[in-house]
């Protein structure tokens, strides 16, 4: 099929292409709302507004909230994995202290950005997604990809000898420490998590 036929008369996108573009715009808008504002922000009205489309478009492509939320989780995890790898790949290879490396690991794990309210907006919803049919499969798929990004951070920071099982432990500890610190009322959950990850990294190195 020629390019002109694929894009329609005069090189304009076809109806099918315009439809796909709208759907992708809403997926991306839903993901950004989920990452930046949490699950409650993923509504048909807010997604359509963020995508610059009529509210009816969101309801048309995602008839129910479950489908919309699944699309948000899928796209958010894609953004997270891509961000983690971009962050890790950009690191210069040099020896780093456990504390510095621990901070890099936590930042990579919560790409594209790590904020003080990470537990409320990111970690808690992700844990819930791992227990929900549909989204659980998405979270399972992103798991090894995130571990690969953490491995890149460790290798770039002078810790190539860390075993794969220990990379898993570092990732689990980061999540658990963030959750515990927030539950315990810590003033800085990220600092608490970084300190715990650094302590384990020191033991493993």
């Amino acid at each position: 099929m020629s390019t002109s036929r694929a894009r329609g008369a005069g090189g304009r996108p076809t109806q099918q292409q315009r439809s796909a573009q709208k759907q992708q715009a809403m997926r991306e808008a839903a993901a950004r709302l989920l990452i930046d504002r949490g699950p409650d922000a993923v509504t048909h009205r807010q997604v359509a507004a963020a995508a610059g489309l009529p509210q009816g478009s969101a309801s048309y492509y995602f008839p129910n909230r479950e489908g919309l939320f699944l699309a948000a989780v899928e796209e958010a995890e894609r953004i997270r994995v891509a961000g983690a790898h971009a962050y890790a790949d950009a690191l210069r290879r040099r020896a780093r202290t456990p504390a510095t490396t621990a901070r890099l690991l936590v930042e990579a794990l919560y790409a594209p950005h790590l904020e003080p309210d990470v537990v409320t907006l990111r970690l808690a919803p992700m844990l819930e997604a791992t227990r929900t049919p549909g989204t659980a499969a998405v979270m399972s798929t992103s798991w090894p990809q995130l571990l690969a990004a953490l491995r890149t951070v460790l290798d770039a920071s002078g810790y190539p000898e860390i075993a794969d099982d220990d990379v898993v432990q570092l990732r689990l500890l980061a999540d658990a420490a963030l959750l515990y610190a927030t539950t315990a009322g810590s003033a800085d959950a990220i600092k608490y998590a970084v300190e715990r990850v650094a302590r384990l990294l020191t033991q493993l190195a």
Side-chain angles (χ1 to χ4, degrees):
M1 180 181 292
S2 67
T3 303
S4 61
R5 287 183 63 191
R7 290 186 61 81
R12 295 189 299 272
T14 64
Q15 178 61 37
Q16 184 177 11
Q17 289 171 327
R18 290 194 296 271
S19 177
Q21 289 169 356
K22 289 179 181 179
Q23 189 170 14
Q24 181 59 27
M26 285 184 288
R27 289 176 62 90
E28 293 175 358
R32 291 296 179 182
L33 286 169
L34 179 59
I35 291 172
D36 295 337
R37 295 169 55 187
D40 290 345
V42 184
T43 66
H44 287 83
R45 181 180 62 81
Q46 294 192 71
V47 169
L53 296 168
Q55 182 175 343
S57 295
S59 298
Y60 176 78
Y61 291 107
F62 303 99
N64 54 59
R65 206 264 177 175
E66 290 74 18
L68 180 63
F69 189 70
L70 175 58
V73 172
E74 289 174 340
E75 189 65 19
E77 282 300 288
R78 185 196 66 77
I79 291 171
R80 182 188 185 195
V81 167
H85 281 279
Y87 182 90
D89 291 342
L91 294 175
R92 296 181 60 182
R93 299 186 67 88
R94 63 180 179 83
R96 295 182 173 89
T97 65
T100 298
T101 304
R103 177 75 190 200
L104 297 178
L105 289 169
V106 177
E107 289 181 349
L109 185 58
Y110 285 94
H113 52 77
L114 178 65
E115 303 294 342
D117 52 5
V118 61
V119 172
T120 302
L121 295 185
R122 302 286 302 284
L123 177 55
M126 286 189 294
L127 291 175
E128 179 62 28
T130 64
R131 298 190 291 267
T132 304
T135 53
V138 177
M139 305 305 291
S140 177
T141 298
S142 67
W143 173 275
Q145 300 176 67
L146 289 168
L147 291 179
L150 298 186
R151 164 62 67 191
T152 300
V153 171
L154 290 167
D155 289 349
S157 301
Y159 299 92
E161 74 282 1
I162 300 297
D164 290 344
D165 286 348
D166 291 330
V167 178
V168 173
Q169 293 304 311
L170 288 165
R171 188 257 162 94
L172 291 174
L173 178 59
D175 286 346
L178 283 169
L179 190 60
Y180 173 79
T182 300
T183 303
S186 172
D188 192 338
I190 294 174
K191 179 181 178 182
Y192 180 88
V194 168
E195 289 173 347
R196 269 48 191 183
V197 172
R199 184 180 300 176
L200 176 57
L201 186 56
T202 300
Q203 295 172 357
L204 296 172

